[in-house]
Amino acid sequence: MITPFPEQAAREECLKLMEILDREQCVDFDLPPDLRDASLRTDYLWSEDRGQMFGVMICRDVLNGGVERVLKAFSARYNNHWTVEGWVPPCFDADVFTESENRYDGEIKRCTAAGDTVGAADLSRISTRAMINLYRFTGADGCSFTFGGLMGERLPQLGTGDCCEPKLLNYAYSHGLIPLSMATFYYGATNKSGTRVHKQFYPPCDERCGAILPDLLGLQILYRDDDIVVVNKPSGLLSVPGRGPDKQDCVVNRVRRLYPDCIEQPSVHRLDMDTSGLLVLGLTEDSHRLLNRQFETGLVHKEYLAHLSGDIRCEERNDPELRVVNQITERDEKGRPLAGHLELPFRLDPDNRPHQIFDPVYGKTGITDWKIECWRQKRAVVRLFPKTGRTHQLRLAASSPYGLGTPIYSDNLYGVPVDGEQLRLHAAILQFTHPISGEVLRFETQPDWL
């Protein structure tokens, strides 16, 4: 993962923290020397494979005049201590957690000593579930959630929620603080795999942070700098705010909540609420204007993946009167379509918003190239290349009898919705030129249904 907030200011605070650890040789340095605990000395970090991650976050305290606060955290527990004076606490009540852990450990040991391996295994699973249920997080929206609310019966990877980043974010959001900068570093003996080295900085880990940070932030951040942010939008979330208070939760407002210095309207393109995938937003006036120009002039490359509700049923056609072009550019050995080019005219149906209808007279032409990606459960997965940006263009290209002739799976507007299933349309690839640096950036994600 990338660090979701600017790092430079927090890195400077991390360097100060390293100096304090070097000098004081303990982590409870906020206490007077005569009150410090010998088990909290940094000697602990230099025994075999004992190094640990540390993190710093700079926050704006809006409840106290906007002053900046510096938070610090260590990953997991420090030499069996979950809490240390001056450090951000874990995402659970440490006393309750320790009591529960000790109780289950004692019962598991008794089963093991009695040769009851089945009982020990059952207790271990019950223990893991009980401990996981003690975690409680507060996200950027101020709402609390648990692992059970996120994952149901699935168990997160061991240690998820114990890294510095979720501890810092949880503390900040539960205390009304706005994160401004965050950085994490490793301190101590190099780990066994050699992937963590003393005093080196590292981004959030994919294995554990990747499972919890998007829920804390409200978005999966794929890229961020001072000018732009790229997110992986989930299905069911609006791209921009709609009309009415019930339609204000959207990508734009979540980005503005995360980055309060962002411009009021950072959106340069959008995805349907039911469509998942890649979105880029401009955080400044200049980046927004220059990104807009790229989209308007067709310089942005986009690819989508769609899981259709069946196989493709299209016929080649070139009908100037209907303004329809359905050109099959590739077939398999049996003559079945594998790739093609579509041009179809559609417009809004004002009596049935936001539904679009085929209209060869007043419709605007949507141009889409396509090719078969694979088949899943006897349904075609198609890669779509939109050449224009019409409303519902890809959903119409799939469902129209003049197009692919098969709606996208669980399309509630142009097909048959499936209970509990999202629309299987995903913005999988987005390539554009960075509006300020000029660097060509390419992002690619996979839908969770593929």
Side-chain angles (χ1 to χ4, degrees), residues 141 236-257 264-265 273:
D141 59 359
L237 178 66
L238 289 167
S239 295
V240 298
R243 295 179 180 176
D246 60 326
K247 294 182 179 178
Q248 295 308 298
D249 184 24
C250 61
V251 171
V252 162
N253 285 340
R254 291 188 185 190
V255 164
R256 293 183 63 205
R257 185 170 59 211
E264 185 174 351
Q265 178 48 272
M273 182 175 75

Side-chain angles (χ1 to χ4, degrees), residues 205-232:
C205 63
D206 291 329
E207 305 80 31
R208 291 176 292 277
C209 292
I212 190 66
L213 257 58
D215 296 286
L216 281 164
L217 299 169
L219 288 169
Q220 184 182 7
I221 309 294
L222 302 181
Y223 179 87
R224 176 219 46 81
D225 60 26
D226 292 339
D227 303 296
I228 67 171
V229 60
V230 178
V231 306
N232 187 22

Side-chain angles (χ1 to χ4, degrees), residues 361-407:
V361 178
Y362 300 107
K364 293 184 177 180
T365 298
I367 303 173
T368 308
D369 290 339
W370 62 273
K371 70 176 183 179
I372 295 287
E373 184 84 0
C374 61
W375 279 266
R376 285 290 173 91
Q377 299 171 327
K378 297 183 180 180
R379 304 186 187 102
V381 176
V382 184
R383 187 169 291 269
L384 301 165
F385 308 84
K387 304 303 180 182
T388 53
R390 308 297 180 209
T391 300
H392 296 175
Q393 176 177 322
L394 302 181
R395 298 167 75 169
L396 293 160
S399 63
S400 173
Y402 298 112
L404 301 182
T406 304

Side-chain angles (χ1 to χ4, degrees), residues 87-120:
W87 297 79
V88 165
C91 303
F92 49 77
D93 185 305
D95 291 336
V96 174
F97 189 96
T98 300
E99 180 184 348
S100 179
E101 185 179 43
N102 291 338
R103 183 178 71 253
Y104 280 109
D105 280 352
E107 294 174 359
I108 291 170
K109 287 177 181 176
R110 282 191 291 274
C111 284
T112 302
D116 183 4
T117 56
V118 174

